[in-house]
Amino acid sequence: MQTDRSSARPPRSPHATAPTLLYARPGIVVTAERFTVGRNSWAVTEITQLWTTRGPHDRLAVRAVAVSAALIAAVGLLLGFTGGLERLTAGAYLTLGAVGLLPLLLVLLGDRWRPPAHELWGRIRGAEVLLFSSDDERQFGQVTRALRRAREGARLGGGWTDPPAAAPWRPAR
C-alpha cells in the first residue's frame, strides 16, 4: 500500500492522446491501434487479411434432420420389402409424401430459429484466426466496418486527424 499518494502508473503526458475509438460494446473494443474481443487482443497492423463467412449449422437441427430422414427411409424400406406399398390407399401415399418433406421443413425451421453465426476471420502472422463471431447481424456488421476502417487508417499511416478546413469557394467578380 502506498501512503505517499504516489501512483504505480507513470504520469500521463498532457499531450498524449487516447487511441481513436471506432467501436465499443461490452467485451468488444475496436480502436485505431487494437482489436479486442473478450480476452483476445490483436494489433490492427498484425491483421493482414480479413474475410467473413457463416458458421456451422446448429447441431440440434442437423441431428433432427438426420434422424427424421433415417426414420422415413427406414419406414419406406420396410413397406417396400414387406409388400405393404401395394396395399396403401391414395391418401396414405399423400401422407407419406408429406412426411417425406419433414426433413426439408426441419432444415428451414432450424436455420430460422437458430441461424448459423456470422464469423470474421483474419490472417495474423500467417495463421488463420477466428477474430469475432456473432449471431447478431447488425453488431457483426458494425464490428466488421470498424475493423476495416482501423486497418485502412493503419495502412494509410496518416492517423485519424481531420482534414484541414478549406476556405469557402467564392466566384471571382
Side-chain angles (χ1 to χ4, degrees):
M1 181 171 165
Q2 296 173 336
T3 58
D4 61 352
R5 295 188 180 185
S6 65
S7 172
R9 295 182 185 170
R12 291 190 82 172
S13 166
H15 302 294
T17 59
T20 302
L21 186 63
L22 301 172
Y23 182 86
R25 293 290 182 270
I28 307 162
V29 178
V30 182
T31 66
E33 292 85 24
R34 297 208 64 80
F35 177 53
T36 304
V37 178
R39 295 182 181 184
N40 298 322
S41 184
W42 301 276
V44 170
T45 55
E46 289 181 347
I47 303 170
T48 58
Q49 188 179 9
L50 285 178
W51 67 94
T52 60
T53 186
R54 296 297 297 260
H57 293 279
D58 183 58
R59 288 184 290 181
L60 180 63
V62 170
R63 288 179 185 158
V65 169
V67 167
S68 65
L71 285 174
I72 292 167
V75 167
L77 285 173
L78 184 64
L79 285 174
F81 283 126
T82 60
L85 287 174
E86 292 140 6
R87 289 179 262 148
L88 293 178
T89 64
Y93 276 111
L94 287 174
T95 303
L96 282 176
V99 169
L101 295 175
L102 181 66
L104 178 64
L105 180 66
L106 287 174
V107 166
L108 295 174
L109 289 176
D111 275 353
R112 177 80 173 154
W113 284 331
R114 299 179 82 167
H118 298 273
E119 295 180 343
L120 177 63
W121 289 81
R123 190 172 300 277
I124 299 176
R125 293 185 218 109
E128 293 180 0
V129 177
L130 176 62
L131 301 172
F132 178 66
S133 177
S134 176
D135 56 358
D136 183 0
E137 188 174 3
R138 181 172 178 254
Q139 179 188 39
F140 180 79
Q142 291 172 344
V143 170
T144 302
R145 281 189 301 278
L147 184 56
R148 288 184 197 270
R149 285 183 58 213
R151 286 188 63 231
E152 185 71 17
R155 186 178 65 82
L156 294 176
W160 288 91
T161 59
D162 289 332
W169 178 80
R170 298 197 191 273
R173 295 186 191 210

